[in-house]
Amino acid sequence: MGKGDARREEIASFVIARGQVRIDDLVAEFGVSRMTVHRHIDQLAAQGVLRKLHGAVSAQPSGIYESLFRYRETVAPEEKQALARAALELIEPGQVVMMDDSTTASALAPLLETRAPLTVVTNSLGVAQRVRHGEGIDLICLGGHYHPTYDAFIGHVCESAVARLRADVLVCSASAVSGRSAFIQDGQMVRAKQAMMAASARRLLLLDSTKFGKTALHLFADLADFDTVLASSAIAPQTARALEDSGIPLRLVETDPA
């Protein structure tokens, strides 16, 4: 990532954390010119991440920025590593493993070589790059329209390719969970993930604690549609109890202490 790209993401994170920030405060915070700040803000506004106001900038409520792969990688990394290790225990040598674009699946990717031989099927460019040199890993990349926000392939071509395959296990995640429903921000990504579910014998849903108590634009699936829901033990106890009481196959995963 270039220096300008890194600063732009820092500005986006700074504004999103505060909701609304004055332009002058961004100039002082990042030690750059007003022109530079305006250039970054214009680019972020064009992406739908921020909204320009008179003398200030605010975060868009759409959740688009939370979909950016690089941003998602920075959220709850210890929990995602713990979830990845727990998911690895449910994968056996010789299986076909389908993986979505989630950063949790990306965290699992480097561990898969320990379960080789495996066939890995994915629409995620990041996952593909992490497993492509793995000994004993047979990689199948799903084609389609590349979407830089997700660092993944989506669309009709991707969905058609998935429909022609069968996997032993799917490893995926969601943008948000409210009650017993999982949500995704992007409708095209929903269709890709639902196609993966239909093509997989067993389905694992991995959720860090930041996903709970939120919603996104599109309904993805009922949590009962998954064979195992691996969730961080950092979720609220009452949330875990409610899910278990409603019959959700929940397994809480402890995060290793630092």
Side-chain angles (χ1 to χ4, degrees):
M1 185 191 311
K3 185 176 181 180
D5 293 335
R7 182 186 294 121
R8 188 157 53 252
E9 291 198 9
E10 289 171 0
I11 289 173
S13 295
F14 187 83
V15 175
I16 287 169
R18 291 158 180 79
Q20 183 171 316
V21 179
R22 295 172 60 247
I23 299 295
D24 289 340
D25 293 337
L26 290 174
V27 171
E29 175 69 22
F30 293 96
V32 296
S33 69
R34 194 178 184 87
M35 181 180 297
T36 297
V37 168
H38 274 289
R39 185 175 69 250
H40 288 313
I41 289 172
D42 286 342
Q43 291 170 329
L44 290 165
Q47 295 171 3
V49 175
L50 303 180
R51 181 171 53 208
K52 291 189 74 172
L53 306 172
H54 182 66
V57 61
S58 69
Q60 287 281 20
S62 64
I64 291 175
Y65 190 70
E66 292 189 358
S67 297
L68 291 173
F69 185 85
R70 288 196 298 270
Y71 174 79
R72 288 184 287 137
E73 282 190 311
T74 69
V75 177
E78 295 83 6
E79 292 183 19
K80 289 173 181 175
Q81 289 292 335
L83 290 167
R85 290 190 294 270
L88 184 67
E89 297 175 3
L90 302 177
I91 295 171
E92 299 177 2
Q95 289 187 323
V96 177
V97 181
M98 193 169 286
M99 302 174 72
D100 72 350
D101 72 298
S102 66
T103 51
T104 309
S106 184
L108 171 62
L111 309 179
L112 290 175
E113 193 172 357
T114 64
R115 288 291 190 273
L118 290 174
T119 297
V120 175
V121 181
T122 186
N123 69 326
S124 167
L125 185 58
V127 168
Q129 290 173 330
R130 285 168 170 82
V131 304
R132 61 182 176 149
H133 295 309
E135 186 174 350
I137 301 295
D138 184 18
L139 173 63
I140 298 176
C141 292
L142 300 167
H145 177 71
Y146 176 73
H147 201 309
T149 297
Y150 307 104
D151 195 30
F153 297 92
I154 56 177
H156 174 72
V157 173
C158 175
E159 295 161 30
S160 297
V162 172
R164 296 175 182 275
L165 300 171
R166 288 295 179 270
D168 296 298
V169 58
L170 167 67
V171 179
C172 67
S173 189
S175 302
V177 173
S178 179
R180 52 183 289 154
S181 298
F183 296 85
I184 299 291
Q185 185 65 28
D186 188 284
Q188 291 187 86
M189 190 57 72
V190 169
R191 291 191 292 274
K193 289 175 184 276
Q194 289 176 339
M196 291 179 178
M197 290 180 67
S200 301
R202 292 176 57 241
R203 306 156 179 173
L204 310 180
L205 182 67
L206 281 56
L207 300 167
D208 66 67
S209 61
T210 67
K211 305 294 179 66
F212 288 85
K214 298 180 180 179
T215 61
L217 185 59
H218 298 277
L219 177 65
F220 167 32
D222 190 295
L223 297 187
D225 294 335
F226 296 91
D227 296 279
T228 305
V229 176
L230 295 169
S232 169
S233 61
I235 67 173
Q238 59 268 32
T239 298
R241 285 196 299 271
L243 292 175
E244 291 170 340
D245 290 346
S246 65
I248 301 302
L250 181 69
R251 175 181 165 188
L252 296 179
V253 177
E254 295 283 346
T255 301
D256 289 347

